Amino acid sequence: MAKILITEDEDSLRRFVARALQMDGHDVVQAGDGAEGLEFLHGAPFDLLLSDIRMPVMDGIALAHEAAAAFPGLKILLMTGYAEQRERADDLADKIIDVVAKPFSLPDIRKAVAGALAA
């Protein structure tokens, strides 16, 4: 299965998604913000970055730009609960696979991750 980095500042949501993806057999690493996520990315190879857009320290847009530049083969999937944040990701269209709208169900996020990994 895949090695996935989840960056999400909301602890309960991050743990919820991580558990679900671990149950699907993925190796999951969790980060509480984009800066921490970037450190993890530089420390080991990942197949997928699943990141919230709106986070403290370094947001998901900045993280996606940094990750795409440093790791061109990395698949990137963003999450947001804010419509205006989704629009901020428009300049990343050629670097990300999709933006998943929050709130989402477990089947929704599993399907989005499976689709991103298959892309």
Side-chain angles (χ1 to χ4, degrees):
M1 300 303 311
K3 186 165 182 181
I4 301 171
L5 174 61
I6 300 172
T7 59
E8 165 65 60
D9 62 315
E10 188 181 324
D11 292 340
S12 59
L13 178 60
R14 187 179 64 245
R15 288 193 301 267
F16 174 74
V17 171
R19 275 195 307 270
L21 297 178
Q22 287 168 333
M23 288 174 52
D24 288 345
H26 299 294
D27 180 10
V28 177
V29 175
Q30 301 177 50
D33 61 58
E36 183 183 19
L38 193 57
E39 288 179 32
F40 281 122
L41 286 174
H42 282 290
F46 286 88
D47 300 301
L48 176 69
L49 169 61
L50 175 60
S51 180
D52 188 17
I53 290 178
R54 191 171 179 175
M55 297 182 291
V57 184
M58 174 187 273
D59 70 10
I61 299 292
L63 175 59
H65 279 292
E66 294 274 340
F71 310 99
L74 179 66
K75 295 176 180 187
I76 302 171
L77 189 60
L78 298 177
M79 309 176 280
T80 190
Y82 301 90
E84 74 277 3
Q85 297 298 318
R86 186 181 179 98
E87 291 171 7
R88 286 186 54 225
D90 286 348
D91 70 324
L92 287 165
D94 60 334
K95 297 175 183 158
I96 65 169
I97 294 172
D98 199 5
V99 179
V100 179
K102 294 181 194 175
F104 48 74
S105 68
L106 222 47
D108 290 340
I109 197 65
R110 284 178 158 148
K111 181 179 178 182
V113 166
L117 290 169

